């Protein structure tokens, strides 16, 4: 492995040149050479800008602005499309190159960070006895959770074409001429496919889009990671890793998620996984053609074959095929009964006539294991590796429901629902007027009350929202009855601010039979976990106190006793950032976790944290591996859930190999963090002094951020004037409304469009603002001594990761481009606000470099190289977007100008890769 940097990157550079050249030819053929000349001129100016400095940069920027002003709307639209595709093709080349580099590492038998090998080579793991390894691994549970938060701007048609281009680039068997011709065909398809959706996404579309990633990669990748874990440890484990979803169950702020959508989501999930099982069992029948004249079989296999009632003379001496015929017939009957799914290959009549549906996936596993054991006992273990073992692992992981669906709703809606229910039942005329203690007393009383609380004819007693909420809970109960509680295991409470929020959900679950109480406390149980989501800075500060109250409540404590003494807590990154800025947000989350760890330990309750991370650093994003290792020591405890959303889902889970790498990184980071905590147990906190410094920095940063965002007159208007926030609301990227109300206040804006809009303007404010002011204030109070901060950056994983994430954000900012956006504001707002932003940005860059002791991204050459390749294509899109926004703000509004702006939003977003 003595390759030079040039040797490592040569294939990437070649691929980018190849794809860029073909795209240029396509543009010339489709739009004319004059159009290609315009594009090339803009690209060259942009490229020279990065190589220039000072006055030369200003001159080039002025030249570019003048050129753009002369373009017609039609020309601008074509240029935007060209640069968007240039950027997307560079992304594809990067992904292919990353896979290439991973194969080089694997061929050289090198373990790298994020791999399971890296964890199991750790001396601490090597020192564990087999029994301790088994015990340690038994408690592991890692689950990325797909959400429908709208930051993915690419259509599925575009994504499918991009995947095909990647496959051609990876195909080493194709001749150069053949490869070029196929790429030309695909890029022409890309060029002639509309980038934008004509209509706003519906919830049903979001469900179908998410299922595409299971089909493309996750059904293959998850069992593969489990096989790798079993191989590395020698321990046969249950499903330690699953992929969950919110899509179809997340109603928070989305009125379009209804009971029908929850029902559709479950049905679609089941159809997909049962189709996969049927295909694999059918193929298994082709594979296992062994004759009873040549091999022996186990008595259990013989019984399974006889039970199939397969009367075909062609399989009379083929017991494995006979057994599989029966398994297939039973599985086909199951699919028909559950979701009216007819298999592609109909079961044989004789087997079908006797087939009973499987009552559960566990029954199917019994039959598959009979096949496996018989092969194993009769010297045919090798025949299980290709298909049977992966199928067994898939059934263990995906059951009959594919992915657990979480329910989520805002606590205000739960409160309003019970207000209606109590009023109609004559229990309480005005539940909302009760204080916290009165609510807890009333809810506890009602949880124990044996009489039904809901009115028989709900529609005539409740408003539309209450009927919709109750229908969701009723549908959830029906699904749990069929598939078990693991299919719908969680109710998440957004804006959880008191213990009564927990009991409200428990009572709603009791109304549909998912919570059982009685006079004897020991018989009380809750079928679904109630999970509070602590989001704002204030909520995070109150989290431990609320959980202390929950653990002290006898009934709720009994519920936890029936749930393995485990409580899950969700931590919100987006709203805490919008509330207090980046530094205060991550510090509040860190402190909340430490306080919760202490609270849980005192109560003897196991803690599982669910991290609500977004794509950008401003919403908790950044590399997952480093983020997990930067959590407070001892808070992971082998279990973690993390949201995956927007364009991050497509970038991580469109390809089985890339998906496997990302899943493995999540799992290995979780294992490594847990291992480090167990090895350091009893050693005390080595970072106490650093935490005191961080507390001061956070307080300073919070004050600076709040002063700008919430106390600067006109800042909300400035934000809307300089970013494409208004235009973003018209882009058809999600079913959820952009704001919680018609208010233009920043407090009422959702965190996703807040971050997304700043990203578009290349200011990225949520990922850094307040840091420079905080550090300067701290330095002024501590004799201008930077060394303690430099020590923190070197020794404390939390602060090191914070700086690395800020460096990533700062590398994607561009002060010159940002200033062009700022000039869209009214003159008075521009002159009053922009200098503050520009100064803080410049000082932040300098201080991040001074503290870390290196240039931005010096420790991340892959990202640095990626930026160098992509920014000459992204920057022109920003300049074009500014020109379009100027025209729109002058009143030049028509369908084409709106479309052009939306195209520019699309292009910038896909180019930046983590924009929302």
């Amino acid at each position: 492995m003595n390759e030079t940097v040039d040797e490592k990157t040569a294939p990437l550079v070649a691929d980018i040149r190849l794809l860029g050249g073909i795209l240029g030819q396509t543009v010339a053929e489709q739009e004319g050479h004059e159009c290609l000349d315009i594009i090339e001129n803009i690209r060259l100016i942009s490229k020279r800008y990065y190589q220039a400095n000072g006055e030369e940069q200003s001159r080039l920027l002025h030249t570019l602005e003048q050129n753009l002003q002369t373009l017609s709307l039609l020309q601008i639209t074509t240029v935007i499309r060209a640069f968007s595709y240039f950027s997307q093709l560079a992304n594809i080349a990067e992904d292919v190159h990353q896979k290439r580099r991973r194969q080089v590492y694997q061929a050289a038998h090198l373990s790298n960070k994020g791999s399971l090998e890296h964890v199991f080579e750790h001396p601490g793991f090597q020192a564990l006895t087999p029994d301790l390894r088994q015990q340690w691994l038994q408690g592991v549970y890692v689950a990325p959770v797909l959400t429908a938060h709208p930051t993915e701007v690419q259509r599925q048609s575009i994504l499918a074409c991009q995947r095909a281009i990647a496959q051609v680039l990876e195909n080493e068997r194709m001749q150069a001429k053949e490869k070029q011709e196929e790429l030309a065909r695909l890029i022409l398809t890309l060029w002639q496919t509309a980038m934008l959706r004509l209509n706003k996404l519906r919830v049903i579309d979001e469900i179908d889009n998410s299922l595409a990633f299971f089909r493309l990669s996750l059904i293959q990748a998850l069992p593969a990671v489990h096989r790798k874990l079993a191989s590395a440890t020698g321990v046969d484990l249950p499903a330690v890793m699953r992929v969950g979803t919110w899509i179809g169950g997340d109603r928070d702020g989305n009125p379009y998620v209804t009971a029908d959508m929850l029902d559709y989501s479950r049905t679609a999930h089941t159809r997909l996984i049962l189709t996969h099982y049927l295909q694999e069992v059918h193929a298994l029948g082709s594979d296992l053609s062994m004759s009873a004249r040549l091999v022996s079989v186990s008595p259990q296999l013989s019984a399974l074959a006889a039970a199939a009632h397969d009367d075909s003379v062609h399989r009379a001496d083929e017991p494995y095929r006979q057994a599989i015929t029966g398994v297939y017939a039973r599985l086909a009957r199951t699919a028909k009964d559950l979701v009216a799914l007819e298999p592609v290959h109909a079961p044989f009549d004789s087997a079908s006539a006797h087939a009973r549906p499987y009552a559960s996936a566990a029954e199917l596993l019994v039959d598959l294991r009979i096949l496996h054991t018989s092969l194993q006992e009769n010297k045919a273990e090798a025949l299980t590796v290709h298909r049977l073992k992966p199928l067994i692992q898939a059934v263990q992981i995906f059951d009959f429901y594919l992915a657990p669906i979480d329910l989520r709703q805002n606590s205000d809606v739960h409160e309003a629902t019970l207000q209606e229910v109590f009023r109609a039942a004559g229990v309480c005329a005005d539940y909302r007027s009760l204080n916290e203690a009165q609510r807890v007393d009333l809810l506890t009383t009602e949880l124990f009350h044996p009489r039904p609380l809901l009115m028989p004819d709900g529609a005539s007693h409740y408003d539309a929202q209450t009927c919709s909420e109750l229908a969701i809970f009723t549908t959830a109960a029906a699904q749990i009855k069929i598939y078990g509680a693991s299919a719908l295991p969680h109710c998440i409470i957004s804006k959880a601010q008191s213990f009564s929020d927990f009991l409200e959900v428990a009572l709603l679950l009791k109304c549909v039979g998912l919570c059982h109480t009685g006079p004897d406390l020991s018989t009380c149980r809750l079928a679904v976990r109630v999970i509070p989501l602590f989001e704002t800075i204030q909520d995070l500060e109150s989290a431990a106190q609320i959980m202390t109250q929950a653990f002290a409540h006898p009934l709720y404590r009994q519920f936890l006793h029936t749930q393995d003494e485990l409580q899950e807590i969700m931590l919100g990154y987006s709203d805490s950032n919008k509330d207090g800025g980046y530094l205060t947000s991550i510090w509040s989350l860190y402190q909340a976790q430490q306080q919760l760890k202490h609270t849980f330990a005192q109560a003897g309750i196991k803690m599982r944290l669910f991290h609500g991370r977004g794509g950008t650093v401003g919403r908790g994003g950044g590399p997952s591996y480093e983020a997990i290792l930067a959590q407070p020591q001892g808070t992971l405890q082998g279990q973690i859930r993390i949201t995956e959303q927007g364009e991050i889902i497509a970038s991580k889970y469109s390809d089985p190999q890339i998906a496997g790498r990302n899943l493995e990184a999540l799992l290995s980071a979780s294992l490594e963090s847990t291992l480090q905590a167990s090895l350091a147990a009893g050693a005390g906190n080595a970072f106490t002094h650093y935490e005191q410094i961080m507390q001061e920095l956070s307080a300073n940063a919070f004050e600076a951020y709040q002063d700008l965002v919430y106390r600067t007159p006109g800042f909300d208007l400035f934000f809307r004037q300089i970013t494409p926030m208004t235009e973003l609301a018209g882009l058809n990227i999600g079913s959820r409304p952009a704001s919680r109300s018609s208010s233009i206040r920043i407090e009422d804006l959702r965190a996703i469009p807040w971050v997304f809009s700043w990203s578009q303007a290349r200011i990225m404010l949520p990922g850094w603002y307040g840091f420079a002011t905080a550090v300067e204030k701290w330095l002024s109070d501590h004799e201008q001594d930077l060394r303690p901060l430099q020590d923190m950056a070197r020794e404390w994983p939390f602060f090191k990761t914070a700086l690395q994430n800020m460096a990533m954000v700062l590398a994607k900012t561009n002060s010159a481009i940002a200033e062009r956006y700022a000039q869209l504001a009214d003159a008075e707002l521009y002159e009053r606000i922009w200098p503050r932003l520009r100064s803080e940005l410049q000082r932040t860059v300098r201080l991040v470099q001074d503290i870390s002791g290196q240039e931005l991204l010096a420790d991340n050459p892959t990202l640095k190289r990626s930026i160098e390749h992509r920014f000459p294509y992204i920057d022109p899109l920003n300049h074009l977007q500014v020109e379009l926004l100027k025209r729109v703000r002058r009143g030049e509004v028509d369908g084409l100008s709106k479309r052009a702006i939306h195209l520019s939003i699309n292009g910038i977003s896909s180019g930046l890769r983590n924009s929302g």
Side-chain angles (χ1 to χ4, degrees), residues 369-402:
R369 283 175 173 146
I370 287 172
L371 291 167
H372 181 268
T373 302
S374 181
L375 289 166
Q376 196 175 39
E377 289 174 353
N378 291 283
K379 303 178 183 179
E381 169 77 16
L383 300 179
T384 69
V385 175
H386 172 60
R387 198 179 305 277
L388 182 55
K389 271 189 178 179
L391 177 57
I392 289 172
Q393 286 159 337
V395 176
Q396 286 178 306
I397 296 165
F398 301 114
D399 206 279
F400 283 163
Y401 53 78
L402 183 64

Side-chain angles (χ1 to χ4, degrees), residues 798-815:
F798 168 79
F799 194 61
K800 180 180 180 180
T801 301
L803 287 182
Q804 288 174 335
N805 285 338
M806 264 196 292
M808 179 176 70
V809 168
L810 294 168
K812 293 183 179 184
T813 61
N814 185 305
S815 186

Side-chain angles (χ1 to χ4, degrees), residues 516-528:
H516 300 277
T517 57
D520 183 356
L521 192 65
S522 65
T523 63
C524 299
R525 60 186 177 86
L526 189 63
V528 178

